[in-house]
Amino acid sequence: MTPNPILKVLSTFQKFGVRALLIGGQACIIYGAAEFSRDSDFVILHNLANISRLKKALRFLKARNIYFPPLTRQFLEKGHACHFRCYEESVKGLRVDVIAKLRNCPSFEELWERKKTFKLPGNKRVEIIGLEDLVQSKKTQRDKDWLMLDRLITNDILITKSPTTQKIRWWLSQCRDAGQLIELAARYKKLAVEVAVERPLVKAALKKDNRTLQQLIQKEETIEREKDKKYWQPLRKELELLRHKKGSVH
């Protein structure tokens, strides 16, 4: 994770008592799936008290609202992301994005229950979205998110020495590398048969049918990309109207 600027944002949020979880590229770095990210993204609790604390933290960071929409509970409730650029000297130029709802993911309260806390040097800590929820949040229409999703799962398989039954089930339900999924199905055949009920393409992995499996994995991704497009379509339309209204005023 980028040392100084991101840590400054995290410590500022903690100083003002903002309930937020790190997501996006910086979260991927911590989980070992990315090497670099310029921005810091957060999912936040969107009640009035927490939004008030967030605004105080952003003022401390001399953050300015960029793009649309403004930071209000109304827009966060609808699922919009709010974007800021920091101008305080130690974080100058850093972009901070906040959102209250993630498509494919449960409420903030549930995300908070499943969060991971990582200790950092200097007695600091970072509250981060859980791995499974992070993977779900990456099922978007963007190519780079699917790349990160693949890396997150592959890395987790590589570093987990003694996986629980729950963990293995998750791998079988989410793994998108055909070769790796075939290996998992062969190693954990009984669990693979059970998971295939919810994710039928695992049947192709059990049959070691690599070609069919690759096609089914791609189809699964295409469906998720389309769902994401439909989810954001009305939100983007609303942003277009906001831009138009602002333009009309000037």
Side-chain angles (χ1 to χ4, degrees), residues 150-177:
D150 290 343
R151 288 180 180 175
L152 286 165
I153 297 168
T154 298
N155 186 63
D156 192 53
I157 292 172
L158 288 173
I159 67 174
T160 305
K161 303 302 179 185
S162 302
T164 62
T165 297
Q166 183 180 354
K167 174 72 78 172
I168 296 166
R169 283 179 178 276
W170 182 69
W171 290 343
L172 288 164
S173 70
Q174 299 298 327
C175 181
R176 300 186 63 262
D177 181 284

Side-chain angles (χ1 to χ4, degrees), residues 99-115:
I99 196 167
K101 293 182 176 181
L102 297 171
R103 191 189 76 82
N104 256 343
C105 293
S107 66
F108 178 85
E109 288 79 3
E110 290 182 67
L111 293 176
W112 187 264
E113 287 296 318
R114 298 205 290 256
K115 74 182 188 300

Side-chain angles (χ1 to χ4, degrees), residues 21-24 27-34 102 105 111 113-118 127-139 148-160 167 170-171 174:
L21 293 173
L22 187 66
I23 58 174
C28 289
I29 291 173
I30 293 176
Y31 280 116
L102 297 171
C105 293
L111 293 176
E113 287 296 318
R114 298 205 290 256
K115 74 182 188 300
K116 296 293 182 182
T117 301
F118 288 86
E127 309 286 2
I128 184 173
I129 190 172
L131 177 61
E132 294 185 17
D133 292 318
L134 179 59
V135 165
Q136 285 299 107
S137 74
K138 288 296 176 183
K139 294 179 180 180
M148 284 297 102
L149 186 157
D150 290 343
R151 288 180 180 175
L152 286 165
I153 297 168
T154 298
N155 186 63
D156 192 53
I157 292 172
L158 288 173
I159 67 174
T160 305
K167 174 72 78 172
W170 182 69
W171 290 343
Q174 299 298 327

Side-chain angles (χ1 to χ4, degrees), residues 29-48:
I29 291 173
I30 293 176
Y31 280 116
E35 296 177 357
F36 180 75
S37 178
R38 290 187 177 87
D39 305 328
S40 55
D41 303 282
F42 297 88
V43 59
I44 67 164
L45 178 65
H46 65 289
N47 63 28
L48 293 176

Side-chain angles (χ1 to χ4, degrees), residues 234-248:
L235 295 172
R236 287 190 175 125
K237 186 176 181 180
E238 186 170 25
L239 292 181
E240 291 283 338
L241 290 172
L242 283 172
R243 292 189 184 99
H244 179 73
K245 286 180 179 178
K246 185 173 182 180
S248 297

Side-chain angles (χ1 to χ4, degrees), residues 5 11 15 22 52 60 67 85 87 114 120 128 130 155 158 170 178 195 203 227 250:
S11 63
K15 175 182 177 180
L22 187 66
S52 177
F60 184 85
Y67 312 125
R85 185 78 65 190
Y87 291 90
R114 298 205 290 256
L120 301 173
I128 184 173
N155 186 63
L158 288 173
W170 182 69
V195 172
K203 294 176 184 177
K227 286 180 180 178
H250 293 291

Side-chain angles (χ1 to χ4, degrees), residues 182-200:
I182 287 171
E183 289 180 14
L184 287 170
R187 192 183 314 162
Y188 307 109
K189 188 173 181 180
K190 184 179 178 181
L191 290 175
V193 170
E194 294 175 6
V195 172
V197 175
E198 297 294 327
R199 194 188 190 196

